[in-house]
Amino acid sequence: MPDDFWQRPDIRNALAAWDMGAVVRGFRQFTGASQGAVATLVNIDQAEVSRLERGRKRLRDRSQLLVWAKALGVPPDLVTAAPANASSSASIAVLLGIPLDVNLENVRILPSSENDALALDGQLIDLQRRDNAGGANVLLADARRSLQSAIRAIAEGLTSAREVQAHGAAAQLAQMAGWLSLDGGRPEDARRYLGAALYCAHTVGDLRLAGSILGYLSLTALYDDAPTEALALARTAYDTNRGGGQNPVTTMLATRLARALAANGEAAECRRLLREADHHHETFNQICAVPVWLDYFDEPELRAQQGTCLMQIGELDEAEAHLTAALTLCRDRGSERLRDQVNYCLRLADIAVAKGDLDAACAQAGTALTINRTISSARMTANCSDFARRLAPHRAHKGVGELIEAAARPH
């Protein structure tokens, strides 16, 4: 390809935004090549090229970009490390795989005033409160609208200070959207949101938030039965946060790493991280401010994470004590932690099964089923069904049979 093609403004802008669909269209118009010929260059199906050109498929990592760049002969200096253009809003949209389709008449842009931080905190606190109370299924649309308003704020051409603030807002809201997607049973969406969140957090140099997002990615891998990947992500998250100094985030990330270690059968190292989590909780949570986006990680959550780790490495009595303490703390705080109560009851039910106490297992799981019918969490509904399936070999037990029937009823 002649150099003047790659110097065209439309092609340079498309490459900067990782919009390979636009690059391929321009390439084919200039050369007369068919979609099939381009597909042969990249060793993919013609249908994939068509989806790329129509915007139905986007590049989401640099390795994909490099494959296309090599195949089409893109000059190396035009291959960017991250998607970008005049503003980075397009970069975030590319990472999310969604258009900037916000109707500005219906979505409030983050206000350009000294109260911006308080406005963002209010949005996050409201989303977290509603998530704690009722699960994620009905909240994702709200989180998405708030996130897109932050992206559009970036696109409006902000001052340097305002752009940093808007990137920080996008990072926090994308992390929340990632969690809501995970709880809503949509792991691929969760990865997209968390990838965009990580990009924004690194853009503003927030190592604590970057570590937290990597911790969520580790949890996503655990839920997807990929313990090796979960461990690599959890280690990176823990190391990333160390660059930001000791703080309350360290407590949470120590438990994320402990969870991944437990899933990989590394019991001794898991216990060491649990001790570290206790130390950080007692030391730094008393003297350091807790970010709003970490507000969910409190005493009951810490005890529940410890209990889950201990359960996974076979320390059932200790696990039961921690999970019982977490459940008691949740109940003491009223109806705000209903999803957590479902989760903790199911873990206690698993412990009861492991101890051979089917009556206790059915009692805990029955409570979980009852509460779950009042909330909206695809993850908890799936967990209830999975537990009922695990009890199938014990169907002859009266309580087990009744529980399996109850779990099969429509939610």
Side-chain angles (χ1 to χ4, degrees):
M1 291 291 289
D3 286 343
D4 59 351
F5 172 77
W6 300 114
Q7 297 307 318
R8 281 170 38 179
D10 61 324
I11 297 300
R12 290 179 67 93
N13 288 339
L15 283 168
W18 288 15
D19 185 358
M20 195 53 68
V23 175
V24 171
R25 281 196 303 274
F27 180 90
R28 292 202 309 107
Q29 290 166 1
F30 192 88
T31 63
S34 67
Q35 288 185 344
V38 172
T40 300
L41 287 174
V42 191
N43 195 28
I44 60 174
D45 293 335
Q46 178 269 330
E48 289 292 292
V49 178
S50 176
R51 280 195 285 272
L52 196 72
E53 287 195 22
R54 288 183 289 122
R56 300 293 298 274
K57 177 183 175 68
R58 304 294 295 237
L59 303 189
R60 294 199 176 93
D61 62 62
R62 195 166 185 267
S63 63
Q64 292 178 318
L65 180 68
L66 291 172
V67 169
W68 280 94
K70 182 178 180 181
L72 299 180
V74 178
D77 63 308
L78 297 183
V79 180
T80 60
N85 59 12
S87 80
S88 60
S89 59
S91 308
I92 305 167
V94 167
L95 288 166
L96 288 172
I98 58 174
L100 290 176
D101 56 1
V102 177
N103 182 340
L104 293 182
E105 294 180 358
N106 298 327
V107 178
R108 177 179 58 81
I109 296 297
L110 294 176
S112 54
S113 74
E114 61 184 14
N115 293 321
D116 285 354
L118 291 176
L120 170 62
D121 286 354
Q123 290 183 53
L124 288 170
I125 289 170
D126 181 60
L127 286 169
Q128 289 172 347
R129 179 188 58 78
R130 293 162 64 198
D131 175 47
N132 276 333
N137 294 8
V138 297
L139 294 180
L140 187 55
D142 286 350
R144 176 187 169 106
R145 281 192 292 270
S146 293
L147 171 60
Q148 288 189 316
S149 77
I151 297 173
R152 285 299 288 265
I154 296 170
E156 292 296 299
L158 305 170
T159 64
S160 177
R162 283 277 298 140
E163 186 161 357
V164 168
Q165 187 177 52
H167 272 98
Q172 294 177 58
L173 289 165
Q175 176 179 246
M176 188 67 193
W179 160 249
L180 292 171
S181 297
L182 185 59
D183 190 57
R186 301 161 73 172
E188 290 305 315
D189 287 348
R191 289 187 180 90
R192 281 198 295 275
Y193 282 117
L194 292 170
L198 192 60
Y199 169 80
C200 292
H202 278 296
T203 297
V204 296
D206 190 335
L207 293 178
R208 294 190 305 168
L209 184 53
S212 172
I213 295 161
L214 286 166
Y216 271 115
L217 284 166
S218 174
L219 199 61
T220 304
L222 275 183
Y223 290 166
D224 205 27
D225 197 25
T228 303
E229 178 188 354
L231 182 56
L233 286 164
R235 286 194 191 282
T236 303
Y238 196 67
D239 291 342
T240 295
N241 183 64
R242 282 181 174 176
Q246 302 291 357
N247 52 65
V249 182
T250 310
T251 308
M252 180 271 291
L253 291 178
T255 65
R256 289 278 192 268
L257 183 50
R259 282 282 297 272
L261 289 164
N264 283 272
E266 298 187 31
E269 188 67 1
C270 171
R271 275 194 168 278
R272 185 183 72 79
L273 264 296
L274 291 180
R275 289 193 296 271
E276 279 198 23
D278 259 332
H279 168 71
H280 290 306
H281 181 68
E282 292 172 3
T283 304
F284 298 106
N285 285 47
Q286 307 303 319
I287 61 175
C288 300
V290 177
V292 169
W293 46 263
L294 191 64
D295 190 56
Y296 73 93
F297 196 87
D298 54 10
E299 184 75 18
E301 178 66 11
L302 172 61
R303 298 307 160 207
Q305 291 297 325
Q306 291 172 321
T308 302
C309 291
L310 291 164
M311 180 178 71
Q312 287 184 299
I313 63 176
E315 300 292 346
L316 300 184
D317 290 337
E318 286 185 77
E320 185 175 28
H322 279 284
L323 286 163
T324 299
L327 187 57
T328 300
L329 286 167
C330 280
R331 287 171 174 166
D332 287 347
R333 299 181 185 195
S335 61
E336 294 181 357
R337 306 287 289 267
L338 293 178
R339 184 190 51 217
D340 287 342
Q341 291 186 44
V342 175
N343 205 13
Y344 304 163
C345 283
L346 287 174
R347 291 173 186 173
L348 286 167
D350 270 323
I351 292 172
V353 171
K355 288 184 170 184
D357 189 345
L358 292 178
D359 289 333
C362 290
Q364 292 286 6
T367 301
L369 280 173
T370 300
I371 300 173
N372 191 56
R373 295 186 185 282
T374 69
I375 65 173
S376 177
S377 168
R379 182 171 61 98
M380 286 302 102
T381 298
N383 285 353
C384 288
S385 298
D386 289 345
F387 179 78
R389 281 193 289 272
R390 290 197 296 276
L391 278 185
H394 308 285
R395 186 185 289 271
H397 184 282
K398 181 186 177 193
V400 170
E402 293 174 351
L403 182 71
I404 291 174
E405 289 178 9
R409 295 187 197 116
H411 184 173

